Amino acid sequence: DVTAAANVPITATIIVKAGQTYDGKGNTIIAQGLGDGSQSEGQKPIFRLENGATLKNVKIGAPGCDGVHVYGNATLDNVEWLDVGEDAMTLKSKGTVTLNNCIAQKAADKVLQINADGTININNFRVTTFGKVLRTNGSGQYNVTVTINGGTFNGGTNIVRTESKNLRVRYRNMSTSNVSKLWEVPSSSQVSTY
Ligand code: DGU
Ligand code: CA
Ligand code: CA
Ligand code: CA
Ligand code: CA
């Protein structure tokens, strides 16, 4: 249609219930009262995606707060974080998360925070200015499979940082610039192209 994109103010986390889709139609979410987008923990998420939810066509403006929390499986299509807050997306419970054609900018530290076992499929992700694109929580030995099919990563420390010996990452069609060390993983055998 002809409706112009707009800013959408929110004062509470948007919950996308199991199996449902939130289509932002290109609008930009501006949170108020959920956090300041700094590195302080305990900020609230902008979105909470329950199992099987889809989030699409949305921009998350500053403050990015604690981004998008995912419980189980989820799909993120054309989601753009204009200024990542504490982190951009957190896997909170076991599941498969697919990100298609997403963009994340200005992440002071982590973009994708993995706090559970999971499969993370990344298709055409563009990230500019970051600490780690993907980080598993602390010393947790999560079972994680990461597949990157298309990505442009510019200005950061790591693409993946993990202490888990049970994480595998496969990648292709990836381009990086100004990234200090692509893979901060226990063993280089955990990383392959495909
Ligand atoms: O270890 O649990 O950074 O989900 C301390 C905390 C920390 C998490 C994580 C997250 O690891 O808060 O943002
Ligand atoms: Ca942090
Ligand atoms: Ca954190
Ligand atoms: Ca930021
Ligand atoms: Ca967080």
Side-chain angles (χ1 to χ4, degrees):
D1 61 30
V2 294
T3 307
N7 285 342
V8 176
I10 62 165
T11 55
T13 299
I14 298 170
I15 297 169
V16 187
K17 290 196 177 295
Q20 300 201 339
T21 296
Y22 180 100
D23 183 349
K25 300 180 176 169
N27 291 334
T28 301
I29 307 293
I30 306 291
Q32 204 171 30
L34 304 185
D36 61 5
S38 73
Q39 283 301 298
S40 52
E41 298 285 350
Q43 297 177 65
K44 295 201 168 81
I46 307 283
F47 285 97
R48 173 189 170 104
L49 306 185
E50 297 182 345
N51 187 33
T54 296
L55 178 63
K56 66 182 192 183
N57 304 328
V58 71
K59 295 179 166 69
I60 296 175
C65 306
D66 212 45
V68 177
H69 287 187
V70 174
Y71 293 80
N73 304 327
T75 301
L76 286 73
D77 287 335
N78 190 29
V79 174
E80 182 169 0
W81 291 264
L82 301 176
D83 184 345
V84 174
E86 205 284 311
D87 45 36
M89 190 285 290
T90 307
L91 182 62
K92 301 285 280 186
S93 61
K94 184 176 180 173
T96 296
V97 180
T98 300
L99 296 99
N100 300 316
N101 304 313
C102 293
I103 299 173
Q105 304 183 67
K106 300 184 193 167
D109 185 15
K110 305 161 193 169
V111 178
L112 307 177
Q113 168 80 37
I114 308 303
N115 294 353
D117 292 348
T119 299
I120 311 297
N121 299 318
I122 296 169
N123 301 313
N124 297 320
F125 197 17
R126 197 157 88 230
V127 186
T128 307
T129 308
F130 55 91
K132 304 103 190 170
V133 173
L134 185 145
R135 174 74 164 112
T136 56
N137 204 12
S139 57
Q141 295 299 303
Y142 302 99
N143 291 299
V144 178
T145 300
V146 180
T147 303
I148 301 171
N149 184 7
T152 303
F153 304 106
N154 182 16
T157 306
N158 309 123
I159 307 301
V160 172
R161 178 171 171 184
T162 188
E163 267 75 71
S164 177
K165 296 179 175 171
N166 303 316
L167 177 144
R168 293 283 176 278
V169 52
R170 318 181 304 146
Y171 68 96
R172 65 184 177 201
N173 302 328
M174 192 179 86
S175 91
T176 64
S177 55
N178 298 311
V179 179
S180 316
K181 183 177 184 193
L182 299 191
W183 316 111
E184 188 71 69
V185 298
S187 164
S188 60
S189 65
Q190 294 173 238
V191 180
S192 60
T193 54
Y194 73 104

